[in-house]
Amino acid sequence: STLQSRGLGDVYKRQHLDSELPLDFASSTELQQVLLNLLNNSVDAMGSSGGRIQITTELRDQNIVIQIADNGIGIAKANLSRIFDPFYTTKPVGKGTGLGLSICYGIIKKIGGNIEVQSVKGEGTTFSIHLPIDKTSTEEVGPNHSPESKNE
């Protein structure tokens, strides 16, 4: 599907979402803030030429893995080690505070997860979020399953 955003070029979104993921593994409000920030950064990285964003979710080794990949301008290798630092930004003055990725990092760490980035300048960036799930919350609640009631 196509996203139109902030007067930029066409952004094409592809999703590969695992329908069998547990639904109660983290604060939905905080996770929404993280994903929205990463998606906005992807759109910004594509600029007026537009591009592609791919969103993938899967269950891997008792972790929910969420990946957001884009084919934007990428992040220079020299900047990768600092992107989660508070107030660090590569955006022009007035376009970013340098807090978005720092906040994302803090939220993901607070819920016991990890966030990683892979990027190649001129080719794009992939953020990978790994969120652990408890064995007690791994009941499948996708479209083909419903949680069983628990006796307390």
Side-chain angles (χ1 to χ4, degrees):
S1 66
T2 304
L3 303 171
Q4 290 284 341
S5 180
R6 298 186 295 254
L8 302 174
D10 288 342
V11 175
Y12 297 93
K13 171 185 63 91
R14 286 185 67 185
Q15 298 178 156
H16 301 282
L17 306 177
D18 186 337
S19 64
E20 303 298 325
L21 297 178
L23 300 176
D24 61 347
F25 62 91
S27 163
S28 61
T29 304
E30 290 179 320
L31 194 54
Q32 180 180 348
Q33 183 177 359
V34 169
L35 297 177
L36 185 58
N37 186 70
L38 294 177
L39 289 168
N40 282 333
N41 282 353
S42 289
V43 170
D44 288 347
M46 288 182 257
S48 61
S49 60
R52 290 184 316 276
I53 297 174
Q54 182 165 304
I55 304 164
T56 306
T57 63
E58 66 178 322
L59 185 60
R60 186 187 319 152
D61 301 325
Q62 292 299 325
N63 284 280
I64 292 175
V65 179
I66 303 167
Q67 290 188 313
I68 297 179
D70 67 59
N71 67 339
I73 60 172
I75 302 167
K77 195 173 190 171
N79 295 334
L80 284 174
S81 65
R82 299 197 55 209
I83 63 168
F84 296 114
D85 291 351
F87 304 107
Y88 182 78
T89 185
T90 59
K91 293 180 181 179
V93 173
K95 295 289 184 185
T97 61
L99 291 174
L101 290 176
S102 175
I103 290 169
C104 290
Y105 182 86
I107 290 171
I108 296 301
K109 288 298 184 182
K110 179 181 134 190
I111 58 179
N114 193 28
I115 183 168
E116 302 167 346
V117 62
Q118 294 179 329
S119 189
V120 176
K121 188 77 173 155
E123 293 182 20
T125 302
T126 300
F127 282 90
S128 299
I129 299 169
H130 300 259
L131 300 171
I133 52 176
D134 297 333
K135 292 186 182 202
T136 58
S137 68
T138 59
E139 296 171 352
E140 295 175 341
V141 291
N144 300 323
H145 299 32
S146 62
E148 295 179 11
S149 61
K150 296 178 183 176
N151 295 329
E152 296 187 42

